[in-house]
Amino acid sequence: MNTLTLRRVAVAVSAAAVLPLSLTACSSSDDTKDAASGSTPSAAASASSPAGDSMAMDEPFGPACSSVPQDGAGSFAGMAKDPVATAASNNPELSTLVTAVKAAGLVDTLNNAENITVFAPTNEAFAKVPKADLDALLADKAQLTKVLTYHVVGEKLTPKQLEKGSFDTLEKSEVTTAGSDMAYTVNDSSKVVCGNVPTANATVYIVDTVLMPPK
């Protein structure tokens, strides 16, 4: 083998050795970039997938959700273990509603119902009702029952169903809902401020205005 041939062989061997090293370096660089960004291709795909969106919609949402306790019976996890009237009694923002439910004798009715949706007015929602009118309502069991059962739908409603819907209530009249992107209204006036809250037998949408049935 002459000198020229030996040189050509040496060059080929050198190039073959350099190539895998170059590929390894590129791979390491890409991995480093992924690690620095805190994501991998599969993680990025999961974050943008419809399944990710579905999971988000399965959880409570809305500005008033931040006032719910992080733990204990009044937390989301705690409320999920109890039937709806009991769960509401553990939420300090719903104390007026609980007083009204007790006055109407509806605690057992709500706790024993299956797969219902409750639009639950906050204390501030009841505070919007003139005091004289609220006192009169609380003293009139028949009318109070009518108002409270107007807040209850006989099926569990998902946020998707609230985008545009009309639903029969236990009071026998209808409520209408509208909205999107986790911002919903009931009867065009009452806003959902903390929605999709699970209890043992109901889904709760906490609202900022008391709903009044048609006369």
Side-chain angles (χ1 to χ4, degrees), residues 22-56:
S22 298
L23 292 175
T24 301
C26 289
S27 176
S28 298
S29 175
D30 291 342
D31 290 345
T32 302
K33 288 179 181 178
D34 286 342
S37 65
S39 64
T40 63
S42 60
S46 297
S48 60
S49 69
D53 293 341
S54 177
M55 288 177 65

Side-chain angles (χ1 to χ4, degrees), residues 82-167:
D82 292 321
V84 64
T86 302
S89 70
N90 293 322
N91 187 324
E93 298 297 322
L94 302 177
S95 59
T96 305
L97 172 62
V98 172
T99 297
V101 168
K102 289 179 178 178
L106 292 174
V107 172
D108 289 341
T109 299
L110 293 177
N111 276 348
N112 293 327
E114 295 183 1
N115 299 322
I116 59 175
T117 293
V118 176
F119 295 103
T122 62
N123 294 343
E124 290 185 3
F126 279 102
K128 293 180 182 179
V129 180
K131 187 177 184 307
D133 294 343
L134 182 58
D135 289 344
L137 179 63
L138 292 173
D140 185 341
K141 186 174 180 179
Q143 183 61 22
L144 182 60
T145 299
K146 183 178 177 69
V147 170
L148 292 176
T149 53
Y150 185 61
H151 289 74
V152 183
V153 173
E155 62 179 301
K156 284 188 176 182
L157 301 178
T158 65
K160 184 69 176 176
Q161 288 176 281
L162 264 58
E163 290 184 0
K164 186 176 182 181
S166 179
F167 307 99

Side-chain angles (χ1 to χ4, degrees), residues 8 79 91 125 151 154 182-183 191 215:
R8 288 176 177 173
M79 291 178 71
N91 187 324
H151 289 74
M182 294 183 283
K191 295 180 181 179
K215 294 181 179 179

